[in-house]
Amino acid sequence: MWVQSLMALVLLATSASAATSASPKKVLSKHATILADNSAKFAFSLYQKMAKEKGVENILISPVVVASSLGLVALGGKASTASQVKNILNAAKVKDDQLHSGLAELLSEVSDPKTRNVTWKISNRLYGPSSVTFVDEFVKSSQKHYNFDHSKINFRDKKSAVNSINEWASKSTDGKLSEVTKDVEKADGAMIINAMFFKPHWDEQFPS
């Protein structure tokens, strides 16, 4: 199964520094801390590679959301896929269940409006072709750990598929993100879509 990830995400200090909880009373688990550090390093490496590509003007990446999308791939793939994901995140010694629970912990931490003083709405969807049936255990686990919902779509009808994806992204971000894709390149796999709305609440407002 090929997975194409289209991301409208943000590389933020709150993500990069997620190894330390924003709440003084809360301490991240050991495996969540490892994943936080390694996710940030991976995101910076990804950013540097993407920045070298021609025609790329603005690159916005969230380390935690990128890592959680990889976690979803590991969750739905075979043992070798999970191993590859952990190698990418430099977390080979992290057990599979710790990978998923740790990434879930990070997602919860960075998007907590009470501790982060931000409005950060993260929506995730896995699109599969009309011929595919999602396994119930996978659906439940992906919702539990990564807050993913699932939808079938006819990728062969590209115009309809693009419109459907963009409508979902717009609805998920209260109209802030009206377009996440202009095309679907293939029709025989699955597509991971992340849509995110981020708004910081300043302690001191800038003068208008």
Side-chain angles (χ1 to χ4, degrees):
M1 180 183 77
W2 67 269
V3 179
Q4 177 180 356
S5 183
L6 300 178
M7 288 169 272
L9 310 170
V10 183
L11 182 56
L12 302 163
T14 52
S15 294
S17 62
T20 56
S21 172
S23 172
K25 297 181 180 180
K26 184 178 180 180
V27 178
L28 294 179
S29 63
K30 182 179 179 180
H31 49 275
T33 300
I34 292 173
L35 291 167
D37 290 338
N38 294 348
S39 296
K41 293 175 183 176
F42 169 70
F44 281 115
S45 176
L46 177 63
Y47 172 85
Q48 290 172 347
K49 291 182 179 179
M50 293 177 67
K52 295 179 181 179
E53 295 182 6
K54 294 181 179 180
V56 177
E57 296 181 359
N58 298 313
I59 303 172
L60 306 172
I61 302 173
S62 165
V64 175
V65 178
V66 172
S68 68
S69 294
L70 289 172
L72 180 75
V73 174
L75 185 65
K78 297 181 180 180
S80 59
T81 303
S83 178
Q84 289 173 355
V85 168
K86 287 191 286 188
N87 285 336
I88 291 173
L89 296 176
N90 195 25
K93 294 183 179 181
V94 176
K95 297 180 180 179
D96 287 356
D97 59 334
Q98 293 177 334
L99 173 71
H100 303 306
S101 63
L103 290 173
E105 189 177 345
L106 292 181
L107 277 173
S108 176
E109 169 64 19
V110 299
S111 60
D112 186 347
K114 294 181 180 179
T115 59
R116 292 289 176 180
N117 195 30
V118 298
T119 298
W120 194 353
K121 186 176 181 181
I122 304 171
S123 298
N124 309 293
R125 175 169 283 192
L126 175 63
Y127 285 96
S130 304
S131 59
V132 168
T133 299
F134 294 112
V135 177
D136 287 341
E137 183 179 355
F138 168 71
V139 171
K140 292 178 182 178
S141 295
S142 59
Q143 290 174 337
K144 174 184 176 182
H145 295 298
Y146 301 114
N147 195 30
F148 262 83
D149 62 17
H150 309 75
S151 179
K152 295 182 181 180
I153 196 170
N154 182 8
F155 287 119
R156 299 186 186 281
D157 185 348
K158 290 190 175 185
K159 183 177 180 180
S160 177
V162 168
N163 288 339
S164 178
I165 292 170
N166 287 332
E167 286 175 4
W168 169 81
S170 179
K171 183 178 180 180
S172 299
T173 58
D174 298 326
K176 303 296 184 181
L177 186 61
S178 60
E179 182 179 89
V180 292
T181 183
K182 296 180 182 295
D183 189 20
V184 288
E185 296 181 358
K186 296 183 179 180
D188 59 350
M191 179 179 287
I192 293 175
I193 303 292
N194 311 112
M196 187 177 74
F197 171 67
F198 176 82
K199 181 180 180 180
H201 304 296
W202 305 103
D203 291 333
E204 295 184 14
Q205 296 291 331
F206 290 98
S208 57

